Amino acid sequence: WVPAGKWVPIGTKENPFQGKYNGNSYKIFNLTIDLPEMDAVGLFGYTENSVLKNIIIEKINIVGNKDVGGLVGLNIGEITECVVEGEISGSGNIGGLVGWNDRTIQGCKAMVNILASGSKIGGLVGWNWNNGKIKNCIATGKVTGGFDVGGLIGESRNEISDSKAEGDIEGIAFV
């Protein structure tokens, strides 16, 4: 269901997505989300105690404000074997897969071009918070932002293992 022709992300801060979703490797094509004033933007806006796996999104085009990701804007759930490909833009906490992460992301791939004006901008995850763990993930593409810009992660406070990034990175500082 798309009200007024615009996609509304699944889950909000007031009503987070708390279920389990297995995409069974079926592909979602050409998803456009144009919400430049909204925070927590992605296919899923806000997840909590959730499990997302085997979701593939190709040719995505997302515009949001803060906490913007191709799959999840703000994640407090488990994410496994998901893939995102496309274009993402916003201000801060912007990631190809997840904008703001506080749980485990494993075996995922982001092939994205990101254009952001603020800080914590990463090819896979923008801001990897205290309980965030990144394992066996890959990010490719061009990442452009202000501060704390990285090919894989913009800024992290926890474990990153067996993961890599390839592509161009541009920023003002802490690149």
Side-chain angles (χ1 to χ4, degrees):
W1 180 66
V2 182
K6 287 196 172 196
W7 174 261
V8 176
I10 301 165
T12 63
K13 188 172 185 176
E14 296 76 25
N15 188 20
F17 176 79
Q18 296 182 325
K20 294 180 181 179
Y21 182 78
N22 185 339
N24 291 314
S25 298
Y26 286 100
K27 295 179 182 178
I28 298 169
F29 288 100
N30 297 319
L31 176 62
T32 297
I33 302 172
D34 187 15
L35 300 167
E37 305 297 319
M38 186 174 183
D39 296 341
V41 175
L43 175 64
F44 293 84
Y46 193 107
T47 61
E48 187 175 298
N49 301 318
S50 62
V51 176
L52 303 176
K53 61 190 279 189
N54 300 317
I55 300 169
I56 301 171
I57 309 169
E58 293 183 356
K59 297 184 181 178
I60 196 166
N61 188 339
I62 295 182
V63 178
N65 186 33
K66 291 188 265 183
D67 302 324
V68 179
L71 181 62
V72 181
L74 200 153
N75 178 58
I76 308 175
E78 306 300 319
I79 300 175
T80 306
E81 300 295 329
C82 293
V83 178
V84 172
E85 178 269 319
E87 310 283 328
I88 299 169
S89 63
S91 63
N93 300 343
I94 312 298
L97 187 76
V98 174
W100 189 95
N101 179 58
D102 197 25
R103 289 297 183 270
T104 301
I105 296 174
Q106 185 169 281
C108 293
K109 186 172 184 179
M111 301 164 289
V112 296
N113 291 317
I114 297 175
L115 178 59
S117 57
S119 65
K120 298 175 183 71
I121 316 300
L124 186 77
V125 174
W127 181 219
N128 191 45
W129 189 240
N130 290 337
N131 296 308
K133 294 180 182 173
I134 311 295
K135 300 176 182 179
N136 301 313
C137 292
I138 299 171
T140 63
K142 183 174 182 177
V143 180
T144 304
F147 298 87
D148 302 320
V149 180
L152 187 68
I153 309 292
E155 185 173 330
S156 182
R157 291 205 175 179
N158 206 338
E159 175 185 336
I160 301 168
S161 61
D162 300 316
S163 298
K164 67 178 183 175
E166 298 174 354
D168 296 326
I169 304 165
E170 292 180 17
I172 296 169
F174 312 111
V175 177

